[in-house]
Every structure is written in C-alpha cells, then in structure tokens.
Amino acid sequence: QLMLWGGTAVFVGLTLYALRYPTAARNKLWACIFLTAVSIVFWAIYFQMFFSMNLFIERAVDRHLFSLYLPTPLFLSSESIFIVMLGPLFAVLWQKLAQKNKNPSIPMKFTLALFATSIAFGIIYLSTKNVNTAGMSSLWFVVIAYLFLTVGELLLSPVGLAMVTVLAPQELVGLMMGVWFVALGLGEKLAGVIAEYASIPKHIQL
C-alpha cells in the first residue's frame, strides 16, 4: 500500500510541477511522465514470466525434450538467450532507420512493446487449445512466447531510459531516472497481484 500511494504521489506531484515550465518543456515532461506510467502496465505483464508463467509451465506444459525432462526455471534462460541474440540486431536496426529518418517514435516503440507482450500471451492462450493426450501444452509455445516478451523488453526498456534524457528538463533527468525505476518496481508489485489469480487459494490444502 505504501509503495502504491507513494508512487501515485510522485506521479501526481511531477505532473503538477511541470506547470512551472514553458509550454514546450511542459509538454515534453508530461509525455515523459505519461509514458513512464504506461511502462508500469508493460512491466506488470512482462514480469508474469517470473510468476504466473512459471506456474503455468509447472502445471500445464509438457517439459519433455527428446530424452530430457526440463526443469521449470530453465525456461527463463531462453529470455537471456534472446536478449543476447536480438540486442545487437535492434541496435543496428535503430541506426539504419535513423539514417533514413524512419526510426519509430518513442510512443510508437512503447505501443509495439505492449503489442508484442499481447502476442506473447495470445500464444500462451493458443497453447491451451492445442494439448496432447495428457492435456499438456507443447513447450515450444512457451519458447515462442518468451521470444515476443523479449522483443517487447528491447522495444521499451532501453528506449525508456533514453526517453528520460530526451524529454525531461536537464535539471530533472536524475529524478526522472529514479521515477522510471519506481515505475519498474510498481509494475513488479502489480505483477505479483495479478499472479495471485494463478496461485492455489490459501484455503486449499494439497
């Protein structure tokens, strides 16, 4: 509760503080605050890979790969592999698009990040409709979903940090960097709240 109300107070306070600036600087700061708030939604979805996704994999995914039986935490390593593979490609892509003046705007990249996470969980939903005779989903659905979650992270996380330096007034850059990480923490908190719906109710004893 303290984190929620404290975070809300920070965002409201910054929104009001922006009124002190000229129109152009004020609008940029408001855009920065709004996009930072939007990132909370993204992180709440993204961090499900550490919460409800683990529960889903443990309970409903066939983890046999040839003669191997994969432990649930191993699936998280696929996200790190995709980061290493796709990170340099995204860096080159943004440079190439910038040279042609076709680099997507920051709001567009945030929108694409949310779209990528929606696709990821759409794939997980499809996996529940394509099960084997034991009622278990294929592990490849999870791997592909993690690929899209990684794409979403690469579209939002580094772009968000750059956004702060571009949109925030120079004297507020340090503060807004802190607010960005506050938003990440709020997203993680919200992710935990959402994941409770996937957990086994406390009144049920196994």
Side-chain angles (χ1 to χ4, degrees):
Q1 293 291 336
L2 179 60
M3 186 176 185
L4 173 63
W5 289 110
T8 302
V10 168
F11 279 98
V12 172
L14 282 170
T15 301
L16 296 176
Y17 187 80
L19 295 171
R20 302 178 57 179
Y21 289 92
T23 302
R26 179 173 65 243
N27 290 339
K28 285 184 178 181
L29 181 54
W30 276 344
C32 184
I33 295 169
F34 174 75
L35 291 174
T36 301
V38 168
S39 74
I40 297 174
V41 178
F42 171 83
W43 292 122
I45 300 171
Y46 174 83
F47 280 123
Q48 293 309 310
M49 73 165 61
F50 302 101
F51 297 109
S52 58
M53 282 286 286
N54 267 345
L55 296 176
F56 175 77
I57 294 169
E58 181 71 25
R59 300 169 183 171
V61 173
D62 181 3
R63 290 177 278 134
H64 289 91
L65 181 63
F66 305 115
S67 61
L68 301 175
Y69 188 69
L70 306 180
T72 298
L74 185 64
F75 285 83
L76 287 173
S77 64
S78 63
E79 189 264 350
S80 300
I81 294 171
F82 290 139
I83 286 285
V84 173
M85 291 173 55
L86 298 178
L89 297 179
F90 271 80
V92 172
L93 175 63
W94 300 144
Q95 290 180 352
K96 295 293 185 181
L97 291 176
Q99 291 172 0
K100 298 179 181 179
N101 292 321
K102 294 182 179 180
N103 196 2
S105 65
I106 293 173
M108 176 56 69
K109 290 176 181 176
F110 273 53
T111 301
L112 292 174
L114 291 170
F115 184 63
T117 56
S118 299
I119 292 176
F121 283 92
I123 291 171
I124 294 298
Y125 173 76
L126 288 177
S127 75
T128 65
K129 304 299 180 181
N130 296 271
V131 297
N132 59 20
T133 54
M136 306 293 278
S137 302
S138 169
L139 61 85
W140 296 111
F141 282 99
V142 176
V143 173
I144 296 172
Y146 276 13
L147 171 62
F148 278 95
L149 283 174
T150 303
V151 169
E153 182 187 10
L154 289 171
L155 283 166
L156 184 136
S157 184
V159 174
L161 293 173
M163 169 199 71
V164 172
T165 62
V166 171
L167 297 180
Q170 186 174 1
E171 64 273 16
L172 290 182
V173 169
L175 175 62
M176 287 306 301
M177 281 290 185
V179 172
W180 173 263
F181 287 104
V182 167
L184 192 153
L186 289 171
E188 188 171 1
K189 175 65 175 177
L190 180 59
V193 173
I194 295 172
E196 286 185 3
Y197 290 98
S199 65
I200 297 174
K202 295 180 180 179
H203 67 274
I204 297 179
Q205 295 183 356
L206 299 178

